[in-house]
Amino acid sequence: MTACLRILGLMAVAISHMTQGMIIYNPTSYTSRYTDPCSPNPCGSNTQCRVAEGRPVCSCLAGHWGNPLTYCQRGECEVNQDCPNSKSCRNYKCEDVCAGQCGHNADCTPRNHIAVCSCPARHVGDPSVSCRRMDPQELCYPSPCGQNTKCEVINDVPVCTCLPGYFGSPSSGCRHECESDYDCSPSQMCQQYKCTSACAAGTCAPTAICDVNNHRPTCSCPKGYFGDPYTSCRAECLSHADCPSDRPACMGDRCVNPCSGGSVCGVNANCEARGATPICSCPRTMTGDPFVRCRPFEPADLCEPNPCGENARCQPGHDNTGKERPVCTCLPGYTGDALTRCRRGECTADVECRHDQACVDYQCKNVCSGQCGVDAECNARNRVATCSCPPGYTGDALSRCYPKSTSTGARYSTSGRVYYNKK
């Protein structure tokens, strides 16, 4: 009987609501005798039953989902970390983290199981609600620039510039360069909100001097000039023709002696004014650069610069009168005119010539040339001239041979290259 009443009570149960896999039973009638509502278990598989206010309450086990009255199946996950980074754990299932999370036209980027919503490029709005295409000019409204500036959108970037007549930092604000003279440096004055030079062109005469005192210009003519410094200052001279003979040069708009000052010519040099031109020269007993320094003559100066020809050397010497003069000679092994050019000779020793020649004055010459006497014969042997009288002649082969009347001999030597042989 008790079992029948329990079954009737379960059949009369009304389901009030279902949430998160939990079902609460509301029986319409119970027996007056108390029994455990969860025994036997009225719930499905993978569930748990608990008593709440005398009623059995069925729910899925942790990590399971489904209908607790019939069957609960094991879920994919329990926490977000059980899912890939792009998904989150909802009702024990790994679901797309971005599904339904962002607004219209918005982009969703999953980051560590969290949906990050953002508006696409060139779009603006609340990404969680809706994004719309951006008007580039909106970047300047409200203006990101400071006061007295102009905002322009260039390549989708707001660019700030100061308005004409203003300067400063466009991002923080621009202002006039000056409001009064005291906003400018001591040498400037404020004109049309700009600092300009107090001595700007046209303030004084072109040749006048301009000085600034308390932001105001003062004009004066230079020393040696005269006239109105605000209109014209005239110089003592404009050309050499305006100057007197004792000061013939017009230099720096003033008449001066070109040799005055002591720094025109070098040390010990003479300066002579020829018109407006200074002529510098060393005294007769000196030499050197008259624009740098003059010094007494030395013998070595006779050869500087070298007055001799090519391949010649210069040495200090004297002429026939005993006066010092440079002496030019050809270098060893060279011959020619030492004043113009010396050429390298044929030889420097006899061995460089043929066997019948000798090296004389760096030239290969016949050893018999001019060595023997009149009517004598000369034979060259190993660069030695041998003089002898021809057959039928007698005498001194070095001076003269005569028709033979008595027996004589011959001499030879070489100058020693001509020898005398007695026959």
Side-chain angles (χ1 to χ4, degrees):
M1 184 65 180
T2 302
C4 291
L5 290 174
R6 184 177 299 170
I7 293 173
L8 290 174
L10 292 174
M11 293 177 63
V13 79
I15 300 175
S16 60
H17 62 276
M18 180 189 298
T19 58
Q20 296 291 326
M22 182 180 293
I23 298 177
I24 301 176
Y25 290 85
N26 293 318
T28 57
S29 64
Y30 294 90
T31 60
S32 58
R33 183 179 177 181
Y34 174 77
T35 59
D36 183 3
C38 288
S39 180
N41 190 351
C43 305
S45 300
N46 299 321
T47 62
Q48 62 182 3
C49 179
R50 64 183 178 85
V51 178
E53 297 179 357
R55 294 176 295 174
V57 178
C58 297
S59 61
C60 291
L61 293 176
H64 293 68
W65 64 278
N67 186 349
L69 290 179
T70 57
Y71 176 73
C72 291
Q73 64 180 10
R74 184 173 183 81
E76 292 182 84
C77 59
E78 292 186 35
V79 293
N80 288 338
Q81 285 70 22
D82 296 335
C83 303
N85 285 338
S86 61
K87 295 185 178 182
S88 62
C89 188
R90 298 175 185 170
N91 296 327
Y92 303 108
K93 291 184 179 181
C94 289
E95 298 182 354
D96 184 2
V97 71
C98 286
Q101 297 300 309
C102 300
H104 181 64
N105 291 330
D107 290 338
C108 180
T109 304
R111 293 180 183 173
N112 196 25
H113 312 288
I114 298 175
V116 178
C117 300
S118 62
C119 286
R122 306 179 69 87
H123 286 68
V124 294
D126 184 351
S128 63
V129 180
S130 177
C131 294
R132 60 179 177 81
R133 183 171 291 277
M134 176 191 68
D135 180 2
Q137 296 303 320
E138 291 182 19
L139 295 175
C140 284
Y141 297 98
S143 176
C145 309
Q147 189 177 8
N148 299 319
T149 60
K150 178 176 67 174
C151 179
E152 294 179 293
V153 178
I154 301 176
N155 295 329
D156 296 332
V157 177
V159 178
C160 302
T161 56
C162 291
L163 292 174
Y166 291 82
F167 83 104
S169 175
S171 59
S172 58
C174 299
R175 60 180 179 82
H176 284 302
E177 186 176 1
C178 62
E179 299 289 342
S180 68
D181 292 340
Y182 298 101
D183 295 330
C184 304
S185 67
S187 63
Q188 295 178 316
M189 58 193 308
C190 186
Q191 292 183 328
Q192 297 180 351
Y193 303 108
K194 289 186 178 181
C195 291
T196 60
S197 173
C199 285
T203 303
C204 302
T207 55
I209 297 174
C210 182
D211 295 312
V212 181
N213 184 19
N214 195 25
H215 304 282
R216 289 293 179 267
T218 300
C219 302
S220 60
C221 288
K223 186 177 180 181
Y225 284 65
F226 59 92
D228 184 355
Y230 293 93
T231 57
S232 175
C233 290
R234 289 175 293 165
E236 182 180 6
C237 62
L238 297 178
S239 66
H240 299 320
D242 299 333
C243 297
S245 59
D246 60 331
R247 293 178 295 131
C250 184
M251 302 175 65
D253 299 325
R254 300 185 63 186
C255 292
V256 297
N257 185 328
C259 287
S260 63
S263 60
V264 178
C265 300
V267 179
N268 299 325
N270 295 329
C271 182
E272 179 184 357
R274 295 181 184 176
T277 304
I279 304 298
C280 299
S281 62
C282 288
R284 294 178 61 86
T285 58
M286 292 187 173
T287 186
D289 185 348
F291 296 98
V292 180
R293 182 182 184 87
C294 294
R295 59 176 176 78
F297 271 111
E298 296 177 359
D301 294 328
L302 295 172
C303 291
E304 293 294 338
N306 189 354
C308 304
E310 185 178 353
N311 297 321
R313 63 185 175 187
C314 178
Q315 292 179 308
H318 299 82
D319 60 12
N320 295 333
T321 64
K323 190 174 182 180
E324 290 183 338
R325 286 287 186 269
V327 177
C328 298
T329 56
C330 289
L331 294 175
Y334 289 78
T335 62
D337 186 352
L339 294 177
T340 56
R341 182 186 180 194
C342 295
R343 296 182 298 275
R344 184 170 183 84
E346 292 183 82
C347 59
T348 56
D350 291 344
V351 294
E352 297 177 9
C353 301
R354 298 199 315 258
H355 69 89
D356 61 343
Q357 294 179 324
C359 187
V360 180
D361 293 333
Y362 306 110
Q363 300 292 324
C364 287
K365 296 182 179 181
N366 193 320
V367 294
C368 287
S369 178
Q371 297 299 316
C372 299
V374 179
D375 294 331
E377 292 180 347
C378 180
N379 292 315
R381 296 177 182 176
N382 296 326
R383 301 184 182 87
V384 175
T386 301
C387 299
S388 62
C389 289
Y393 282 75
T394 186
D396 186 353
L398 294 179
S399 58
R400 188 180 185 91
C401 292
Y402 300 92
K404 188 174 183 181
S405 59
T406 60
S407 176
T408 62
R411 291 180 297 167
Y412 63 97
S413 99
T414 58
S415 172
R417 293 186 180 136
V418 179
Y419 295 88
Y420 176 70
N421 290 329
K422 290 184 179 182
K423 293 183 180 179

